[in-house]
Amino acid sequence: MMARRISPGYMAVVTGMASYVDAAAITGFAVALTMLQPILGLAPIDIGIASGTLTLGIAAGALIGGRLGDRWGRRPVFVATMVGCVAASTVMLLIPPFPVLLCAAALLGIATGADLPVALTTASEMAPERIRARLILVSNLLWVAGIVANLLISSAVGDLGVTGIRIIFGHIGLMSLLVLIARLTIPESWRWLAASRTTASSTAARPGVRSITRAPYARHFWAIAGFYTLTNLVANTNGQLGIYVMVNFAGATVPEAARVVLLGVPIVVVGLVIFMRFADGPARFRLFTAGAVVGVIAPLVLAVFGVTLTTYTIATVCAAVGIAFAFEGMMKIWTQESFPPLLRSTAQGSVIALARATAAAFAIWTPVFLEYNITAFYLFLACLQFAGVAIAWLAFHRHPFGSSFALEATDAPVRDGAD
């Protein structure tokens, strides 16, 4: 008997919640660190180490989870990762000593990092071909939702001390638990099952990690990795340390800084909705190009005019356009389009791992760099943003839909439990 069908929309939301938890972890931990400064007596280098630990954990998790997802299947990995998120956030709720907090941050990072490539690949592989890119971008809307939820919570509890910190960490844990429950209803990707069976019944060896760096995949892998690594350095700095910058350099309170960041959210949401409409057609690359240009302007505003609440608001608006049209959404789409099923999760995990590991190393020293010369720092970020989008433009402007050999030609029904 055929099991009940699961709609692609439901699949996209439940798997896309990986991005919600990722955003909630990054931004929530950042706000909590700022609030923990006087409580734990944290120095700028401590803030950098803690931020870097979370980001490095995400990098390691993405690399491990991506490969395990291609070898063992998507479902067991994206269920186990949510268990890790619940455990880590529970430890953080206790406001432990700084070394224990670092361990919890590492676990949270590993769990969220491992979840991203397998969950997003599941959404991609279970989606009908004609709306695949659109459903992938659902995860970006949920990523924004995670940021918004944390900003709203931060605005409300930013002055409550330990109670506020526990509410922030409790939000991450509660959402992880709800996602875990929903994930239990999601079956294994039929595309992965089909590819795995084909490989098992043939004499050909299962493709390994090195395959993504060799022809015919290497060109697109390195282009996507370069694009996402460089642009993520800018986005990660804003996401993890934006409130820290406004509090320490613009004289804002935590609630004021959270509200400034919140102003850019409607632009991201509207931009993503527009982008989703054109994501499966040729117009998406024109939108990518426009977003790339505006995204470079964002750090330039802070470099030229200095850091105030006004300039940070302008920069946030520009960054929002770049995020909607020329950031992680395009990375996800190009990765899914450029690699076959048994390499897809590995490739995406490797891209995420490289980007987050680089961001982790960068984040450790960012507070020190900001203290040394904030103008030069934001000028450097503008150069990184430009280099990242330029790499992607050069690689994909002639072939904006990735590698056609990786696209499956047929659709199959989304089924729950049916084999």
Side-chain angles (χ1 to χ4, degrees):
M1 181 181 296
M2 181 176 291
R4 66 183 178 86
R5 296 167 64 90
I6 291 182
S7 72
Y10 175 80
M11 185 81 64
V13 170
V14 174
T15 56
M17 283 297 291
S19 293
Y20 181 102
V21 175
D22 177 52
I26 291 174
T27 57
F29 189 64
V31 174
L33 277 179
T34 302
M35 296 169 66
L36 282 168
Q37 276 184 282
I39 296 173
L40 297 181
L42 302 180
I45 190 62
D46 295 325
I47 299 291
I49 291 173
S51 298
T53 297
L54 176 68
T55 309
L56 188 60
I58 294 174
L63 190 63
I64 297 168
R67 189 57 190 152
L68 292 180
D70 281 339
R71 290 186 64 84
W72 295 348
R74 323 305 191 198
R75 191 176 190 273
V77 178
F78 69 51
V79 169
T81 54
M82 283 300 106
V83 175
C85 289
V86 173
S89 56
T90 300
V91 173
M92 290 178 173
L93 273 171
L94 303 176
I95 317 296
F98 187 62
V100 178
L101 185 69
L102 287 181
C103 293
L107 175 59
L108 181 63
I110 291 170
T112 55
D115 193 52
L116 285 169
V118 290
L120 297 175
T121 298
T122 299
S124 168
E125 291 178 342
M126 301 294 274
E129 192 68 50
R130 67 186 183 280
I131 58 171
R132 175 184 286 188
R134 190 180 309 174
L135 293 184
I136 293 172
L137 288 174
V138 169
S139 67
N140 274 45
L141 283 175
L142 292 170
W143 176 70
V144 174
I147 295 174
V148 171
N150 262 329
L151 290 175
L152 291 174
I153 292 171
S154 300
S155 298
V157 306
D159 295 326
L160 298 183
V162 170
T163 299
I165 295 168
R166 285 179 171 152
I167 291 173
I168 291 172
F169 288 141
H171 164 244
I172 299 171
L174 176 61
M175 295 309 299
S176 299
L177 180 60
L178 294 176
V179 173
L180 170 62
I181 295 171
R183 291 277 178 85
L184 297 176
T185 68
I186 301 297
E188 183 57 81
S189 160
W190 69 267
R191 293 181 192 268
W192 180 85
L193 287 172
S196 183
R197 288 169 181 162
T198 299
T199 300
S201 63
S202 70
T203 58
R206 180 182 287 265
V209 176
R210 293 182 181 178
S211 298
I212 61 177
T213 61
R214 296 174 178 171
Y217 310 109
R219 178 175 178 270
H220 282 154
F221 172 76
W222 289 117
I224 296 168
F227 158 64
Y228 187 57
T229 297
L230 294 175
T231 56
N232 184 67
L233 281 175
V234 182
N236 189 74
T237 299
N238 292 334
Q240 285 199 318
L241 296 172
I243 290 179
Y244 172 85
V245 167
M246 282 185 279
V247 169
N248 289 276
F249 295 91
T253 64
V254 170
E256 286 174 341
R259 286 191 287 269
V260 168
V261 177
L262 193 61
L263 291 176
V265 171
I267 297 173
V268 175
V269 173
V270 171
L272 283 172
V273 171
I274 294 171
F275 196 55
M276 289 174 69
R277 181 178 179 183
F278 299 101
D280 293 283
R284 83 175 185 200
F285 197 78
R286 292 192 289 273
L287 289 174
F288 164 78
T289 303
V293 173
V294 178
V296 173
I297 293 174
L300 280 177
V301 170
L302 299 175
V304 174
F305 299 104
V307 177
T308 66
L309 288 181
T310 300
T311 58
Y312 209 95
T313 300
I314 296 171
T316 298
V317 170
C318 293
V321 175
I323 287 170
F325 296 158
F327 183 48
E328 191 168 295
M330 282 309 310
M331 179 275 289
K332 295 172 182 175
I333 292 171
W334 279 329
T335 304
Q336 297 302 317
E337 291 178 347
S338 299
F339 300 92
L342 296 185
L343 284 176
R344 191 167 284 150
S345 183
T346 298
Q348 184 146 301
S350 298
V351 169
I352 294 172
L354 179 61
R356 299 299 177 91
T358 305
F362 191 71
I364 292 174
W365 300 103
T366 295
V368 178
F369 294 155
L370 286 166
E371 293 283 350
Y372 180 72
N373 192 325
I374 193 170
T375 299
F377 177 78
Y378 278 106
L379 183 60
F380 178 61
L381 289 189
C383 293
L384 292 178
Q385 183 76 16
F386 174 78
V389 295
I391 288 171
W393 193 92
L394 290 172
F396 288 98
H397 74 284
R398 291 186 178 179
H399 304 285
F401 289 94
S403 305
S404 59
F405 59 77
L407 294 173
E408 293 79 12
T410 60
D411 290 334
V414 178
R415 296 176 295 174
D416 183 357
D419 216 21

